[in-house]
């Protein structure tokens, strides 16, 4: 069994910047690199494998032919459960909300979307929108969208590097300008746009809003979680690690390696390793900032050596 290195897929949405090229060294013919899809089996942008016996196959095909790679937890899902992205917001993203599984399966025939954001870098004054600053009724929410006053009711939060936002399905949210983050989310591309700052899309027209669906699914209350990682920082010999968040959909931790770190891909889940800084090795494979690795379930112990910052995700 081997570790698969994945080829990211880029999206040039209008709000994107160039940090994924300038800071991460990704190569792409797109001018703006708004999003890099780092672990993706989604039809809108599938990763291919860059190395080894599965080279040039899509990850979706590899896991279809080798379902045991998903592990016991991963196999419970109808299709590949998560999607991991790097997002570079040079400008504000639209204010949006995602449905939960029940609504999304019924209306959109795909999973809903709970997601989490880990802030990798940000401007000093960067902020984002996270839920409401008070309780609203659905009618008040609809009225505020129609009358263009709902920005008065949103909860604006200043961000700093290392913050963790858990965005449960139904939570109103928007990434603000000057923020670079890693997003771990359910494998879904269903987004209901509520407000787009009056901007025009690439075709010169305003992008579509989805007010009725947004009103259906939005939980109009302030968020209940803070923005700290859930776990304590654990320092070992040559590494530190910290649980960022865990829920029944995914478990995400951050590692910081100065010498050597080892972990195990057991029978329960595949393991995603996203390298957010530095360089080194993972077993026999060389790794550097921006690399994304898929480790099959039951692979066993793997060792990360060198100077590495990374995010490790399981389902
Ligand atoms: Zn979102």
């Amino acid at each position: 069994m081997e570790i698969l290195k994945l080829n990211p897929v880029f999206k040039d949405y209008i709000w994107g910047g160039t940090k994924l090229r300038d800071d991460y060294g990704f190569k792409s013919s797109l001018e703006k690199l708004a999003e890099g899809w780092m672990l993706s089996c989604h039809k809108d942008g599938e990763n291919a494998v860059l190395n080894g016996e599965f080279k040039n196959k899509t990850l979706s095909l590899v896991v279809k032919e080798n379902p045991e790679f998903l592990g016991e937890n991963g196999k419970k899902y109808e299709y590949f459960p998560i999607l991991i992205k790097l997002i570079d917001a040079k400008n504000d993203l639209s204010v949006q909300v995602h449905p939960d599984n029940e609504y999304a399966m019924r209306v959109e025939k795909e999973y809903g979307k709970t997601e989490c954001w880990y802030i990798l870098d940000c401007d000093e004054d960067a902020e984002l929108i996270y839920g409401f600053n008070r309780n609203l009724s659905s009618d008040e929410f609809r009225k505020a969208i129609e009358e263009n006053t709902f920005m008065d009711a949103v909860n604006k939060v200043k961000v700093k590097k290392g913050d963790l936002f858990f965005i449960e399905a139904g939570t109103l949210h928007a990434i603000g300008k000057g923020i670079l983050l890693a997003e771990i989310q359910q494998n879904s591309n269903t987004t209901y746009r509520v407000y787009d700052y009056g901007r025009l899309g690439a075709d010169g027209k305003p992008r579509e809003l989805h007010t009725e669906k947004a009103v259906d699914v939005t939980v109009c209350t302030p968020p209940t979680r803070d923005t700290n990682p859930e776990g304590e920082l654990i320092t070992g010999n040559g590494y530190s690690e910290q649980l960022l968040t865990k829920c029944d959909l995914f478990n995400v931790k951050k590692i910081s390696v100065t010498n050597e770190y080892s972990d195990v891909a057991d029978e329960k889940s595949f393991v995603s390793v996203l390298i957010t800084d530095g360089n080194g090795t993972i077993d026999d494979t060389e790794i550097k900032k921006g690399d994304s690795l898929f480790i099959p379930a039951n692979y066993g112990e793997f060792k990360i050596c060198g100077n590495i910052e990374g995010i490790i995700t399981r389902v």
Side-chain angles (χ1 to χ4, degrees):
M1 217 181 265
E2 54 184 16
I3 294 177
L4 282 57
K5 205 186 255 195
L6 303 176
N7 194 19
V9 174
F10 297 100
K11 302 286 177 184
D12 62 348
Y13 304 134
I14 50 171
W15 43 261
T18 57
K19 284 182 188 160
L20 295 181
R21 179 183 293 113
D22 303 341
D23 299 354
Y24 280 75
F26 291 122
K27 297 202 173 25
S28 165
S29 58
L30 300 174
E31 191 189 328
K32 290 173 181 171
L33 297 185
E35 295 188 350
W37 292 21
M38 309 307 295
L39 175 70
S40 169
C41 291
H42 196 283
K43 59 180 169 23
D44 295 342
E46 295 185 30
N47 294 147
V49 178
L50 288 167
N51 63 330
E53 69 165 297
F54 302 112
K55 193 171 174 176
N56 296 328
K57 281 192 175 180
T58 61
L59 180 61
S60 345
L61 185 61
V62 173
V63 297
K64 196 177 167 199
E65 290 174 351
N66 305 273
E68 70 279 10
F69 282 10
L70 294 167
E72 290 164 14
N73 297 345
K75 273 197 272 189
K76 287 181 201 157
Y77 296 88
E78 214 170 305
Y79 57 91
F80 195 78
I82 56 170
L83 176 55
I84 299 181
K85 299 175 178 177
L86 289 172
I87 298 182
D88 173 26
K90 184 164 186 243
N91 291 300
D92 294 324
L93 272 74
S94 60
V95 184
Q96 53 184 250
V97 64
H98 309 294
D100 63 14
N101 278 342
E102 188 278 318
Y103 187 95
M105 282 310 222
R106 182 160 50 82
V107 177
E108 313 288 352
K109 309 284 180 272
E110 72 168 359
Y111 290 134
K113 184 151 71 152
T114 285
E115 61 194 32
C116 73
W117 296 337
Y118 179 65
I119 308 295
L120 292 167
D121 198 9
C122 61
D123 294 349
E124 211 167 295
D125 55 351
E127 55 181 30
L128 52 74
I129 292 171
Y130 184 40
F132 292 89
N133 58 25
R134 56 190 156 89
N135 290 309
L136 263 67
S137 69
S138 292
D139 282 342
E140 285 170 327
F141 179 44
R142 181 187 287 106
K143 204 162 166 234
I145 298 173
E146 285 164 2
E147 295 176 357
N148 216 353
T149 57
F150 88 103
M151 289 300 277
D152 302 334
V154 302
N155 179 38
K156 288 187 189 149
V157 186
K158 285 223 179 315
V159 301
K160 59 181 192 310
K161 220 171 143 167
D163 281 348
L164 188 281
F165 290 83
F166 188 82
I167 319 273
E168 197 157 8
T171 308
L172 190 79
H173 60 279
I175 301 174
K177 63 171 186 257
I179 296 175
L180 179 77
L181 60 78
E183 180 179 83
I184 295 95
Q185 54 160 92
Q186 281 180 277
N187 186 9
S188 162
N189 210 11
T190 298
T191 295
Y192 300 145
R193 204 175 286 132
V194 178
Y195 179 69
D196 201 25
Y197 309 93
R199 292 181 298 199
L200 303 178
D203 59 359
K205 294 181 188 147
R207 296 196 293 173
E208 189 191 353
L209 301 181
H210 315 92
T211 306
E212 281 316 308
K213 286 178 174 176
V215 171
D216 281 348
V217 306
T218 302
V219 180
C220 300
T221 57
T224 51
R225 296 188 181 224
D226 69 22
T227 58
N228 295 315
E230 272 178 47
E232 298 294 317
L233 183 71
I234 299 164
T235 306
N237 190 9
Y239 70 89
S240 67
E241 64 178 331
Q242 186 168 27
L243 176 71
L244 294 178
T245 192
K246 67 171 193 302
C247 61
D248 52 4
L249 302 161
F250 41 71
N251 175 309
V252 188
K253 68 181 173 182
K254 174 196 168 321
I255 57 163
S256 191
V257 183
T258 50
N259 181 21
E260 188 180 293
Y261 175 77
S262 64
D263 196 351
V264 177
D266 63 17
E267 71 285 358
K268 294 224 166 58
S269 173
F270 64 86
V271 176
S272 154
V273 181
L274 177 63
I275 310 302
T276 55
D277 208 359
N279 57 64
T281 55
I282 183 163
D283 288 351
D284 299 333
T285 307
E286 288 196 19
I287 48 173
K288 62 175 191 319
K289 183 172 181 171
D291 283 345
S292 176
L293 306 141
F294 175 92
I295 308 177
N298 261 322
Y299 174 89
E301 186 184 52
F302 58 92
K303 271 198 173 67
I304 296 175
C305 298
N307 269 296
I308 290 285
E309 305 272 321
I311 295 171
I312 297 185
T313 304
R314 315 170 138 79
V315 297

